[in-house]
Amino acid sequence: MATGTGGPVAPFSVWDYVVFVGTVLVAAGIGLFQAIRGRKKTSSEEFLLGGRQMTAVPVAMSLTASFMSGITVIGTPAEAYRFGAAFWTFGFSYAIMSTITAEVFVPLFYRLGITSTYEYLEMRFNKLIRSIGTSMYIIQTTLYTGMVIYAPALALNQITGLDLWGVLVATGVVCIIYCTLGGLKAVIWTDVFQMIIMLAGFVAVIARGAVVQGGLGKIWDDCNKGGRLEAFDFDPDPLKRHTFWTIVVGGSVMWVSMYSINQSQVQRYISCRTLTQAKLSLYVNMVGLWITVSLAVFSGLTMYSIYKDCDPFTNGDVGAHDQMLPYLVMDILAAYPGVPGLFVAAAYSGTLSTVSSSINALVAVTLEDFVKPVWKNLNEKQLSWINMGMSVFFGFLCIGMAAVASLMGSILQAALSIFGMISGPLLGLYLLGMFWRTANSTGGLTGLIVGLVVTLWAGIGAQIYPPLPDKTNPLPISVAGCNNTHNMNYTTVTPWTSQFTLAPLPDERPALAETWYSLSYLYLSVLGTLVTVIVGLVISAITGGCKQKKLHSDLFIRRSDLFCAGCCKDSEVSNLEINEKVGSDLKGSDNAGFIDSQFNTSEKVVEKVTKL
């Protein structure tokens, strides 16, 4: 077929299968190598945190890869194709997120020497709030990981013909292997490899697209004429899906909630050997996110340049928006054996990195928050076997959730939105505990519940009554240049409005549908954070928060924590014995959290802090 004129694409070749399978085997091999290399280091701490001896660059690449899932690899280019380059302005959000996480959250978590992020909630509030926070994380992560496995598998199955359930199971099994045998080190080093593969996939699409279209300048010119380069919309309307303000303000809070308190991310940067390395990993990660989102957006712009006169979705060549990029790959790269296989490997590298990160983090929080408090006398060998057993359990649980996702249909996006809804109230709870000494457990719990209810109300309402096109701003497309128009889906030049046809007709929509339910999804995290903090402070004041016993300063953000990378004096860091033993040296000394002669368990941390 002629590129960009519609019709079927070439199937996967033998060499494509070879490249794809080879990439997966290399990923598994890295896990096995780390298992063999560290076979003498079988402690639970080594398994979950890599002995806290990791350096900044591999951790940074792992941080980037773990949230650049297969959904991102496939979905971001489709976003740029449909709505233009506005998604690129998330680069500002990444910078704000990296700075806040590195300068506010990292010093606190690093100083306390925690393994599970939710240990802090017990230190600051109580065991009930810690258990609730952990349970919320386990539920959202398991569900989200199932979506991450299923969504790209479905898109690629319908384009390449790869067996859907075979790929689903294979994905889970590969992750189980290197998570079970290699622990966090295997996950991080595998993420480094997978990050390289993801970036190579984007570069291959852009390079071939530039050749097909006659240069990058032609792509840029086509996108400019099609309105795809209008990235900065300064409209303050909070109901518009993507504006400069919704992305920079709402997106920053959303990404802070994902990076600063999400166990999958925290577990990485606290595995660094020094505080300086931990902070540096986040800033290097910021650059990695910039590069990734730039390549992903430009891949989408390349796709628009090629299909500007024959939209594959409108023409019936694909059945879903997320199939656009796989379709493009098979269209323009099928003549190069193995290259489509590289792209499929890139999409699945994103999936593998996210799934492996989730499994390792789920094991960490379950062990620290539920197993150790009940069975306090487990030895290292028993803990190691429990770690490996839980890796297998959570791996198959995530595969099971992928099976559930296959039954959800249009609810798939709703499940992904819920992931963001939960993060906002949790971030509010942490901020409440870290910045306000008057906040007590009653206020924290009430604020968390109210914040969660409010965000779920707004988010679920938006799924039932989706925002109308005037708030989502879909850009026009065309089918004028198609050679064949089989299975025509739509006849208008803005077919993206059709995604809302399942919603009730305008006269059936309640008044809230045009206001409350139309709130940009990026503001859900902001809403949850603000409601949790405000309600928490009010309830704490009513229930005697100002009269509670004095809490130790190590549980709060201090002036010396802010924008202090390796320049703080020892005397400004800690007054507790535990802090002298767990990462109190901010000058770049080795992370003492897991040095045998200085190690204290999380239970001792909690006891020492709560007694003061």
Side-chain angles (χ1 to χ4, degrees):
M1 56 164 279
T3 299
T5 57
V9 293
F12 238 39
S13 70
V14 173
W15 284 109
D16 293 325
Y17 282 107
V18 170
V19 171
F20 172 65
V21 174
T23 303
V24 175
L25 290 178
V26 170
I30 293 174
L32 293 175
F33 171 76
Q34 290 295 336
I36 295 171
R37 183 184 180 189
R39 61 186 181 276
K40 294 182 180 179
K41 301 176 181 179
T42 58
S43 70
S44 174
E45 293 75 36
E46 176 72 22
F47 184 90
L48 296 176
L49 291 168
R52 294 205 185 207
Q53 293 298 307
M54 300 301 297
T55 54
V57 174
V59 170
M61 295 183 73
S62 180
L63 284 168
T64 304
S66 62
F67 266 108
M68 293 295 119
S69 66
I71 293 176
T72 305
V73 172
I74 294 174
T76 303
E79 167 74 23
Y81 176 89
R82 298 167 58 191
F83 299 101
F87 199 86
W88 182 84
T89 54
F90 270 101
F92 295 104
S93 300
Y94 299 150
I96 295 170
M97 171 273 295
S98 298
T99 303
I100 292 176
T101 303
E103 306 301 339
V104 177
F105 288 87
V106 171
L108 177 67
F109 291 152
Y110 199 93
R111 182 170 68 242
L112 294 175
I114 60 176
T115 299
S116 164
T117 318
Y118 308 100
E119 290 178 57
Y120 174 78
L121 295 180
E122 181 176 351
M123 296 178 189
R124 178 61 180 85
F125 296 109
N126 57 37
K127 289 185 178 180
L128 175 61
I129 292 180
R130 174 181 178 176
S131 297
I132 292 174
T134 303
S135 299
M136 289 170 63
Y137 171 78
I138 291 174
I139 292 171
Q140 74 172 16
T141 302
T142 304
L143 182 61
Y144 175 72
T145 305
M147 307 302 135
V148 166
I149 295 174
Y150 177 75
L154 177 64
L156 295 170
N157 161 258
Q158 295 186 8
I159 296 299
T160 66
L162 289 171
D163 181 72
L164 176 62
W165 294 105
V167 172
L168 286 176
V169 174
T171 301
V173 169
V174 170
C175 291
I176 289 170
I177 289 173
Y178 65 75
C179 285
T180 301
L181 299 179
L184 184 67
K185 278 188 177 180
V187 172
I188 287 179
W189 285 110
T190 306
D191 282 350
V192 171
F193 169 72
Q194 290 163 348
M195 187 68 198
I196 295 172
I197 295 297
M198 278 190 279
L199 296 181
F202 284 136
V203 170
V205 169
I206 295 171
R208 178 55 182 163
V211 172
V212 170
Q213 293 302 97
L216 296 177
K218 178 64 165 56
I219 294 174
W220 193 262
D221 186 58
D222 288 341
C223 293
N224 186 42
K225 292 177 180 178
R228 262 64 182 178
L229 300 183
E230 298 175 4
F232 298 96
D233 179 1
F234 292 97
D235 188 343
D237 185 1
L239 305 184
K240 293 186 71 172
R241 180 173 178 266
H242 280 170
T243 66
F244 178 82
W245 304 113
T246 58
I247 291 176
V248 172
V249 178
S252 295
V253 175
M254 181 185 72
W255 279 97
V256 166
S257 70
M258 288 184 176
Y259 265 77
S260 62
I261 61 172
N262 187 290
Q263 179 67 23
S264 300
Q265 305 299 74
V266 174
Q267 191 168 340
R268 275 156 178 69
Y269 54 71
I270 64 173
S271 72
C272 290
R273 63 179 56 168
T274 68
L275 178 60
T276 301
Q277 290 281 328
K279 289 187 174 185
L280 181 60
S281 71
L282 281 158
Y283 290 119
V284 176
N285 160 71
M286 174 183 69
V287 176
L289 289 173
W290 284 345
I291 294 172
T292 304
V293 75
S294 297
L295 289 175
V297 169
F298 204 82
S299 295
L301 297 180
T302 301
M303 182 160 56
Y304 172 75
S305 178
I306 293 173
Y307 295 131
K308 61 183 181 297
D309 295 322
C310 182
D311 174 56
F313 182 71
T314 308
N315 194 47
D317 297 318
V318 297
H321 305 144
D322 287 340
Q323 295 173 5
M324 292 284 293
L325 190 61
Y327 177 86
L328 172 68
V329 169
M330 299 307 296
D331 185 1
I332 68 175
L333 292 171
Y336 300 88
V339 179
L342 176 67
F343 169 78
V344 174
Y348 269 93
S349 291
T351 297
L352 288 172
S353 64
T354 303
V355 174
S356 61
S357 301
S358 298
I359 292 174
N360 199 259
L362 287 168
V363 170
V365 297
T366 304
L367 183 70
E368 294 296 325
D369 296 350
F370 293 122
V371 176
K372 283 186 177 180
V374 177
W375 293 283
K376 299 182 179 181
N377 299 318
L378 294 173
N379 59 41
E380 287 299 333
K381 185 175 181 180
Q382 291 172 321
L383 288 173
S384 296
W385 280 106
I386 291 173
N387 286 332
M388 290 188 286
M390 286 194 297
S391 293
V392 174
F393 169 75
F394 281 118
F396 282 105
L397 181 61
C398 290
I399 294 174
M401 289 308 301
V404 173
S406 68
L407 305 175
M408 290 185 175
S410 61
I411 304 178
L412 182 62
Q413 185 60 44
L416 296 175
S417 299
I418 290 175
F419 181 78
M421 296 175 211
I422 294 176
S423 297
L426 273 176
L427 176 62
L429 180 63
Y430 276 87
L431 294 177
L432 190 66
M434 293 161 60
F435 285 96
W436 284 276
R437 293 174 180 267
T438 57
N440 58 21
S441 56
T442 303
L445 180 60
T446 306
L448 177 64
I449 293 174
V450 174
L452 187 61
V453 169
V454 170
T455 54
L456 289 176
W457 175 25
I460 294 175
Q463 296 300 322
I464 299 174
Y465 303 102
L468 295 175
D470 63 323
K471 299 301 181 184
T472 56
N473 300 324
L475 296 174
I477 50 83
S478 172
V479 291
C482 295
N483 286 340
N484 58 333
T485 53
H486 60 285
N487 298 327
M488 248 339 230
N489 290 319
Y490 313 104
T491 56
T492 67
V493 295
T494 55
W496 306 109
T497 59
S498 65
Q499 63 180 306
F500 305 113
T501 55
L502 294 178
L505 296 175
D507 58 351
E508 299 175 353
R509 292 165 64 90
L512 286 177
E514 312 310 324
T515 52
W516 180 247
Y517 297 154
S518 292
L519 182 71
S520 172
Y521 74 97
L522 292 174
Y523 279 138
L524 289 177
S525 290
V526 178
L527 178 65
T529 300
L530 290 177
V531 170
T532 299
V533 170
I534 294 172
V535 172
L537 288 174
V538 171
I539 298 299
S540 294
I542 295 174
T543 57
C546 297
K547 299 179 181 179
Q548 63 181 330
K549 65 179 182 179
K550 187 176 180 180
L551 298 170
H552 198 276
S553 63
D554 271 26
L555 295 173
F556 302 93
I557 297 298
R558 292 184 246 155
R559 190 175 303 171
S560 61
D561 289 337
L562 302 177
F563 305 98
C564 180
C567 60
C568 302
K569 297 180 179 179
D570 291 345
S571 60
E572 296 175 331
V573 176
S574 176
N575 295 319
L576 274 180
E577 177 187 356
I578 181 60
N579 292 47
E580 296 172 354
K581 295 184 177 181
V582 184
S584 63
D585 188 354
L586 301 187
K587 295 181 179 179
S589 63
D590 285 344
N591 184 333
F594 287 95
I595 294 177
D596 291 339
S597 63
Q598 297 179 330
F599 176 67
N600 282 306
T601 63
S602 60
E603 290 82 5
K604 292 180 181 178
V605 176
V606 174
E607 290 174 4
K608 289 190 176 185
V609 173
T610 53
K611 285 179 180 178
L612 294 171

